[in-house]
Amino acid sequence: MKIYVSIDIGGTAIKYGLIREDGRILSRNIMNTEAEKGGAGILEKVQNVIADFHTQEEISGICISTAGVVDTNRGIITYSAPLIPDYSGTEYKKVLEGRFRIPCEVENDVNCAGLAEYYSGAAAGSNISLMLTVGTGIGGSIVINGEIFRGVSGSACEVGYMNMQGGDFQTLGAASILSQKVAEWKNEPKECWNGYRIFEAAKKGDALCVRAIDEMTDVLGQGIANICCVLNPEIVVLGGGIMAQEDFLRERMDLSVGRYLIPEIARHTTLAFAKHGNDAGMLGAFYHFQLRRFGPAALQALEGVTCHDH
């Protein structure tokens, strides 16, 4: 059975492992991105990962999920936020195929998460799904009938840059704003607070932490409602580390979206929390590889994948 290397590159961590051709994840590993070393440093890390696996297994494909805007035809980063310096222009496909003589496909990380949730996660069975990842920023992807909607320049659903009253969507609503607010309100160093501590304090009744979360969910609800008015998706899937707090966030998010979305759209829109968690990028990169190389029929035999009748 064929084995694939799948690598999910984020601003903080690189998750990587082996996936069997039936979609089963065989191994999971993680390392620090060390984003400050820039595109060249990350490319070197990726090559080292592949080289290590290549000595142990016969690898049939390299599947890359990465932050940044990706030209999927050329497998190159065309735009990246300053978090990873000199990342634009990184030519994964050219470099990796040239060195290892193994086919490589590259896709944006949020698009990969969207594919993972569409084919075998929370959005399975839908025709139009919107995926939002809420972390340091806010990323989005749209999957329509099994394909990523990319727009004319490949930048569709860059929702974090949407203009809202007081700033852009991700500046106001990303998880990173929580620790900043709570630390400021409590007059403590920002380093003292992270998302986990804020949620634990909120569950114990800390009024300032509850307030910060409520302000975040209100912004998220407004942004989601705006997107839904344009796209009218069947399902909105919420991902990113903070969305693991589903028990605390579920009712708040339902109320917040309902506050801003007209009833006719709201009653046709399901709000769900991502199923695949930290595996979404790796799994979605593998699905993307299969779609690019073999077409939708290749996914029908995969473990856990829902086949869509379009």
Side-chain angles (χ1 to χ4, degrees):
M1 194 170 276
K2 292 180 179 178
I3 302 293
Y4 297 82
V5 175
S6 193
I7 304 174
D8 178 23
I9 303 157
T12 303
I14 298 174
K15 306 173 191 75
Y16 60 98
L18 297 177
I19 300 182
R20 206 165 64 181
E21 67 177 322
D22 63 359
R24 182 180 170 212
I25 298 176
L26 300 176
S27 67
R28 298 172 177 84
N29 301 278
I30 189 167
M31 68 170 74
N32 291 330
T33 305
E34 297 181 295
E36 68 278 3
K37 294 184 177 180
I42 294 172
L43 182 56
E44 182 179 356
K45 282 175 175 278
V46 167
Q47 291 185 77
N48 290 339
V49 165
I50 298 165
D52 286 345
F53 282 131
H54 198 32
T55 61
Q56 305 166 34
E57 301 278 354
E58 183 178 345
I59 303 300
S60 296
I62 301 166
C63 318
I64 304 286
S65 159
T66 177
V69 178
V70 177
D71 180 331
T72 55
N73 291 320
R74 295 187 295 153
I76 185 173
I77 308 297
T78 59
Y79 175 80
S80 176
L83 177 64
I84 305 178
D86 302 317
Y87 200 42
S88 298
T90 302
E91 298 188 88
Y92 281 109
K93 187 177 179 69
K94 179 180 176 181
V95 172
L96 299 180
E97 289 186 345
R99 175 175 173 182
F100 296 103
R101 304 300 174 188
I102 299 171
C104 172
E105 298 294 346
V106 188
E107 177 60 285
N108 167 266
D109 53 357
V110 186
N111 285 345
C112 285
L115 286 173
E117 295 297 333
Y118 179 87
Y119 279 106
S120 63
S126 67
N127 288 316
I128 303 175
S129 66
L130 167 68
M131 175 85 198
L132 291 182
T133 56
V134 183
T136 306
I138 298 177
S141 71
I142 310 159
V143 184
I144 302 175
N145 295 333
E147 294 186 4
I148 297 292
F149 177 73
R150 302 183 186 281
V152 69
S153 68
S155 302
C157 217
E158 289 286 346
V159 296
Y161 301 106
M162 286 194 311
N163 294 307
M164 301 181 72
Q165 188 172 2
D168 61 31
F169 190 25
Q170 62 189 1
T171 300
L172 299 173
S176 52
I177 198 70
L178 280 176
S179 53
Q180 182 179 321
K181 280 185 175 180
V182 170
E184 185 177 315
W185 292 343
K186 290 179 177 288
N187 198 26
E188 295 178 9
K190 184 179 176 182
E191 294 71 30
C192 293
W193 291 92
N194 57 33
Y196 179 79
R197 185 184 176 193
I198 290 168
F199 273 91
E200 290 304 300
K203 291 170 188 175
K204 295 173 183 174
D206 186 304
L208 289 178
C209 291
V210 170
R211 177 185 161 195
I213 293 168
D214 285 343
E215 287 186 3
M216 181 193 74
T217 55
D218 185 71
V219 171
L220 291 174
Q222 187 176 350
I224 290 167
N226 288 342
I227 300 166
C228 287
C229 286
V230 177
L231 293 179
N232 193 201
E234 290 171 62
I235 187 165
V236 179
V237 182
L238 301 173
I242 202 167
M243 292 302 164
Q245 303 282 348
E246 179 179 355
D247 290 345
F248 195 85
L249 289 174
R250 160 63 69 179
E251 185 177 357
R252 284 174 163 82
M253 288 304 308
D254 284 338
L255 289 171
S256 181
V257 173
R259 189 179 305 131
Y260 294 106
L261 199 55
I262 62 172
E264 174 59 21
I265 298 178
R267 70 187 184 91
H268 291 290
T269 307
T270 300
L271 194 67
F273 286 74
K275 173 183 173 182
H276 286 303
N278 285 335
D279 290 339
M282 283 174 51
L283 198 54
F286 169 73
Y287 290 166
H288 171 72
F289 184 99
Q290 298 297 317
L291 288 166
R292 289 275 301 179
R293 292 281 164 168
F294 310 113
L299 297 186
Q300 293 180 4
L302 298 185
E303 185 177 285
V305 167
T306 297
C307 298
H308 299 253
D309 183 15
H310 301 135

